[in-house]
Amino acid sequence: MRSKLDSVDGTTYSATDRGIGTSPALAALLIGTFVGTVSNNIVNVPLNAILDEYDASLGSGIFVVVGFLLTFAAAMPLAGWIGDRFGRRRVYCGALLGSAACSLGAALAPTLPVLVAWRSLGGLAAAAFAPAVMGLIAWLFGPARRARAVGAWAAVNGLGQAVGPSMGGVISDWWGWRWTFVPLIPIAIIGYLATMKCVPKYPGRRMTLDGWSAASLTGGAALMILGITAISEEGIPVWLKLIALGLGLALLVLFALRTRRSANPFVPIELILETRFLRSAFAAFVQMFALGATLLAVPLYLTDAGSSTSQAGLLLFVLPVTMTFAATVAGRVIDRVGPRIVMRTGLIVLACSQIGLAALLRPSLQLSHAALVAILVAAGLGIAMVQTPAAAGSTRSPAGAMGTGLGVFNLIRFGGTAVGAAWVGIALHAGAASYALLFGVAAVMVSAGFGISFAGRNPVDG
């Protein structure tokens, strides 16, 4: 039995401060994180093979990717509420089984619309992972161990970013694109069995759902992500993009107005604007903006410069691998020096890496692969140093005590990915200096995140 007082890094913590979480329980939760991250990006590389089999255009086939991201991000706040209402462990287990079923359906899809439908349903299932896992980590691991647990969560996110595209490409080349979905099925089932054995039941509680607020937030977020993603798609009429963006914005305004007047709001606006949550969410947004832009733009530059797809993939692989290893270290450093110092340092490092990419990726400059690797390592370090304290900060905020709050945090986080990818499409139409513009704006965005990290008063507990 654990003693009432333990010493960690020279500081004495009570058993309550350490929490009831175990390493097997954390491992079970990280399996779902891995499944969700890999599911999001596993079709990026074999997309052309999918289009060839169905004899489809890129304009229609892109929804194999976008359909998942759309439902995945937009449904997160509602998935968080469902976890609070019916129990986070129960919803997490359902998401694992749902992901397994959707992977099987995608592997067997006879037509492109059926594949898009299974991918979209898979996004709905995976939407429960982030709020449920972050909520369960906050519940299982007390302040003395939470940053390290969140660091492991961030490391698995980086691992999924690294493994997903590579695994999708290799499996598609060897056995065909349908087999890319198959490995996720046993992994999800193992996660389900491990969770049932190692993670304690999380009791649900009776709650009233403000349906109008939930519908306006979910619909507004979906339309905004769809509109932003479509900006760089030349085959979609401009008026349709504007309608999606305008209607999405109108629904989000309706959500804000409804929330202020509701006696039982879906997620209180004042909690989203609270200092710790606001800093954490915006830092996560700009970090994912930079990550999404880098993962998309750097391979495009390399292949245009004459590198093979394999060479580009190997060079880019440095970034997520650095993220994976650095995230676990960041969790330990946070326990020693505090989250604000780590997050602000990470934002500075990340901004410098974006400036480095803007300076290096120029048509007139002979590309140095060594310099590119060094910059990508710096980007990975910066991202890891932002992601871990931002996620930990969200779980420690009043909004983070609610499943809907954690859902909003992750909606904002993945919204950064969508905006970053859309910005790549816009910037690359700017001519010879497009990469300098692309990464220059990314540096400005990250610098804005650094500025926002000083907004409001510092929380008294760090």
Side-chain angles (χ1 to χ4, degrees):
M1 182 177 295
R2 188 184 301 277
S3 62
K4 291 185 177 179
L5 295 175
D6 290 319
S7 181
V8 178
D9 296 333
T11 304
T12 301
Y13 293 103
S14 68
T16 301
D17 287 334
R18 292 182 61 81
I20 62 173
T22 62
S23 295
L26 179 60
L29 296 177
L30 296 183
I31 289 175
T33 300
F34 180 80
V35 169
T37 305
V38 172
S39 296
N40 186 25
N41 59 29
I42 199 169
V43 298
N44 291 15
V45 174
L47 182 60
N48 282 333
I50 294 172
L51 299 179
D52 288 342
E53 177 166 333
Y54 292 124
D55 192 24
S57 66
L58 179 61
S60 57
I62 197 67
F63 286 97
V64 175
V65 176
V66 174
F68 184 98
L69 177 63
L70 194 66
T71 55
F72 175 61
M76 280 184 177
L78 184 57
W81 183 91
I82 294 172
D84 286 349
R85 172 62 182 85
F86 298 101
R88 289 174 183 168
R89 190 188 78 159
R90 181 180 297 166
V91 170
Y92 173 68
C93 287
L96 286 166
L97 294 179
S99 292
C102 291
S103 294
L104 179 61
L108 300 175
T111 64
L112 182 62
V114 172
L115 176 60
V116 171
W118 278 116
R119 286 283 294 165
S120 300
L121 288 173
L124 283 176
F129 285 135
V133 169
M134 291 178 67
L136 286 168
I137 286 176
W139 175 58
L140 291 171
F141 296 91
R145 296 191 296 158
R146 187 174 302 154
R148 295 187 186 187
V150 173
W153 170 84
V156 171
N157 271 297
L159 181 64
Q161 293 280 0
V163 169
S166 302
M167 185 170 75
V170 170
I171 294 176
S172 178
D173 284 342
W174 286 0
W175 298 299
W177 68 263
R178 293 182 183 275
W179 285 93
T180 59
F181 301 105
V182 174
L184 296 174
I185 299 172
I187 294 174
I189 292 173
I190 291 170
Y192 169 80
L193 296 175
T195 301
M196 294 299 292
K197 181 178 181 180
C198 302
V199 178
K201 289 183 178 180
Y202 184 95
R205 64 179 188 270
R206 292 190 175 276
M207 301 166 57
T208 302
L209 176 65
D210 184 347
W212 283 105
S213 294
S216 57
L217 176 59
T218 303
L223 286 169
M224 288 295 291
I225 292 172
L226 181 61
I228 291 169
T229 304
I231 287 175
S232 59
E233 293 294 327
E234 296 180 354
I236 300 177
V238 174
W239 63 267
L240 195 57
K241 301 173 187 177
L242 293 176
I243 287 177
L245 289 170
L247 186 56
L249 180 61
L251 286 173
L252 292 179
V253 171
L254 176 62
F255 160 74
L257 295 174
R258 172 76 184 185
T259 297
R260 286 192 174 278
R261 298 174 182 175
S262 175
N264 184 37
F266 183 58
V267 53
I269 289 293
E270 59 271 16
L271 295 187
I272 297 176
L273 298 178
E274 180 266 336
T275 297
R276 177 177 282 154
F277 186 89
L278 181 65
R279 291 176 176 180
S280 298
F282 196 78
F285 176 88
V286 299
Q287 165 246 310
M288 292 295 280
F289 177 95
L291 176 61
T294 302
L295 289 176
L296 185 57
V298 170
L300 291 174
Y301 180 90
L302 290 172
T303 52
D304 286 343
S307 297
S308 67
T309 303
S310 299
Q311 288 174 328
L314 287 173
L315 284 169
L316 192 65
F317 195 68
V318 172
L319 193 157
V321 167
T322 304
M323 286 170 53
T324 302
F325 285 103
T328 55
V329 178
R332 295 179 181 273
V333 174
I334 288 170
D335 289 337
R336 293 178 180 271
V337 304
R340 287 196 296 272
I341 293 176
V342 174
M343 188 171 78
R344 288 168 182 164
T345 303
L347 288 166
I348 292 172
V349 172
L350 182 57
C352 289
S353 74
Q354 301 301 292
I355 293 172
L357 288 172
L360 183 66
L361 303 185
R362 289 184 293 166
S364 60
L365 187 68
Q366 180 67 34
L367 179 65
S368 167
H369 286 172
L372 178 60
V373 167
I375 293 173
L376 291 176
V377 167
L381 287 172
I383 289 167
M385 294 172 70
V386 174
Q387 182 171 243
T388 300
S394 71
T395 64
R396 297 174 67 186
S397 68
M402 307 164 58
T404 50
L406 292 175
V408 169
F409 171 80
N410 282 284
L411 169 60
I412 294 170
R413 187 165 73 94
F414 282 100
T417 304
V419 176
W423 170 238
V424 171
I426 296 169
L428 292 187
H429 284 86
S434 56
Y435 285 94
L437 173 65
L438 193 163
F439 289 109
V441 169
V444 171
M445 290 286 291
V446 176
S447 299
F450 179 78
I452 293 293
S453 73
F454 292 91
R457 295 183 179 180
N458 290 333
V460 295
D461 58 346

